[in-house]
Amino acid sequence: MKIIVLGSAAGGGFPQWNCNCRNCAGVRNGTINATARTQSSIAVSADGTNWVLINASPDILAQIRATPALQPARAVRDSGIAAVMLMDAQVDHVTGLLMLREGRPLPLYCTASVWGDLNTGLPLAPVLSHYCGVLWHELALAPGGAAAPSLQVPGVEGIRFTPLALRSKAPPYSPHRERPQVDANISGDNIGLLIEDTASGKTVFYAPGLGAIDPQIEAVMQSSDCVLVDGTFWRADEMIALGFSTKSAADMGHLPQSGEAGMIAVLDRVKARRKVLIHINNTNPILDEDSEQRATLARHEIEVAFDGMEICL
């Protein structure tokens, strides 16, 4: 199984277009040791030819240009992208669908709750019906936070996906923002994915948005060979302390790295061979490779994803 990190930043990318924080100013003028990043998305394949795009960021065209495996190679019009799978309906994870409007109908895998948002609050599906069209496949979730039945995407042999409901936040525009849809009868607003190579049995747990870690989610993380998880904020009050927002990390559906119950503490308990943070906000000091926060991650054997990063299992 091969995973390519197409984009590793949170919404807005890095540097963010209108931000003059230490990180954004520093990467523009070269005063910090940091690398620009596009908004988060990954691609998964077993054969290196047919890929599932997981989240379609607004930067998808630049990401395709930077990734030869996703470019046309077999026909006059063609793509290595066999299907798109969505973790949620956040703007930075779905608006790239509009950039994929040329060509054949687009196979799209997401929960019923996300599909509802894409037909109402952010009606991308009706818009795309006038272009390529969308073939929706529901990602159904099991009750009680249990793993749902796994599925395989036609044309992408050798990879099995298992969706799991997460405690996080629906987009601000969604009617579910403060009423998460995770009960036994309604599909969830946010999911994680257990991604398995059916030949080797190797697994990756992917969750770019993770507000809290329930016991069943930690159990999945414990059994995975690699975890690729939410690295949005270093501090719980990061945006408040910088004067950018009145909302904490938890208010926005993210678990910060620091603190007694933070992501570092969680990952210290996880036995995965590789532990990687993705969806890094432009304010997070770990983007500065010379920072003490980055050194702290290294001491805990935690990696930071970057655009173009490849994970092979």
Side-chain angles (χ1 to χ4, degrees):
M1 172 168 55
K2 184 174 184 179
I3 293 175
I4 300 176
V5 175
L6 304 177
S8 52
F14 176 63
Q16 184 171 299
W17 67 278
N18 66 341
C19 185
N20 199 37
C21 71
R22 177 184 181 273
N23 283 346
C24 291
V27 76
R28 289 191 192 101
N29 59 33
T31 58
I32 66 170
N33 182 16
T35 303
R37 287 164 160 82
T38 58
Q39 294 166 93
S40 72
S41 176
I42 66 172
V44 182
S45 178
D47 61 9
T49 299
N50 300 294
W51 298 80
V52 175
L53 175 67
I54 302 181
N55 290 335
S57 96
D59 300 314
I60 184 60
L61 296 185
Q63 293 167 349
I64 291 172
R65 284 194 294 269
T67 312
L70 302 184
Q71 296 169 7
R74 297 160 291 193
V76 176
R77 285 200 171 184
D78 172 55
S79 170
I81 300 171
V84 180
M85 195 170 289
L86 300 177
M87 312 294 290
D88 51 48
Q90 297 287 349
V91 167
D92 52 312
H93 287 162
V94 303
T95 48
L97 292 171
L98 293 173
M99 301 299 102
L100 304 177
R101 64 188 180 273
E102 295 86 4
R104 299 176 182 175
L106 186 64
L108 181 67
Y109 292 76
C110 64
T111 65
S113 181
V114 169
W115 181 243
D117 282 340
L118 296 184
N119 279 276
T120 54
L122 184 64
L124 299 186
V127 171
L128 287 169
S129 70
H130 297 282
Y131 296 90
C132 60
V134 175
L135 301 175
W136 177 51
H137 303 269
E138 183 179 0
L139 292 178
L141 298 173
S150 60
L151 62 102
Q152 292 183 277
V153 174
V156 182
E157 308 303 327
I159 303 292
R160 182 180 293 126
F161 299 90
T162 305
L164 301 102
L166 298 181
R167 280 203 284 159
S168 189
K169 289 278 189 176
Y173 69 82
S174 173
H176 310 149
R177 177 70 171 182
E178 303 302 332
R179 295 182 291 108
Q181 306 295 286
V182 293
D183 67 23
N185 301 311
I186 306 175
S187 295
D189 298 310
N190 303 272
I191 64 167
L193 282 174
L194 181 64
I195 308 169
E196 179 185 2
D197 184 310
T198 58
S200 68
K202 299 290 187 181
T203 57
V204 174
F205 176 68
Y206 179 52
L210 194 52
I213 299 177
D214 295 324
Q216 62 270 19
I217 295 299
E218 185 166 341
V220 171
M221 294 170 69
Q222 287 284 7
S223 65
S224 298
D225 296 287
C226 174
V227 292
L228 186 58
V229 292
D230 191 335
T232 310
F233 298 117
W234 178 260
R235 289 172 49 174
D237 64 347
E238 190 166 308
M239 298 293 280
I240 299 170
L242 290 170
F244 291 154
S245 176
T246 59
K247 296 180 179 180
S248 68
D251 292 335
M252 291 182 266
H254 298 288
L255 182 68
Q257 281 101 69
S258 62
E260 292 183 3
M263 187 65 79
I264 293 174
V266 173
L267 293 179
D268 278 347
R269 300 193 297 266
V270 170
K271 300 179 178 64
R273 180 166 61 87
R274 294 189 70 176
K275 306 169 189 181
V276 186
L277 299 177
I278 195 169
H279 196 269
I280 318 298
N281 199 59
N282 67 88
T283 57
N284 194 326
I286 65 174
L287 289 169
D288 180 351
E289 297 184 26
D290 297 329
S291 67
E292 175 55 34
Q293 291 85 354
R294 190 64 171 263
T296 297
L297 292 182
R299 289 194 294 271
H300 289 265
E301 300 183 322
I302 299 171
E303 302 174 63
V304 177
F306 56 88
D307 292 20
M309 182 183 199
E310 296 186 4
I311 298 172
C312 297
L313 295 172

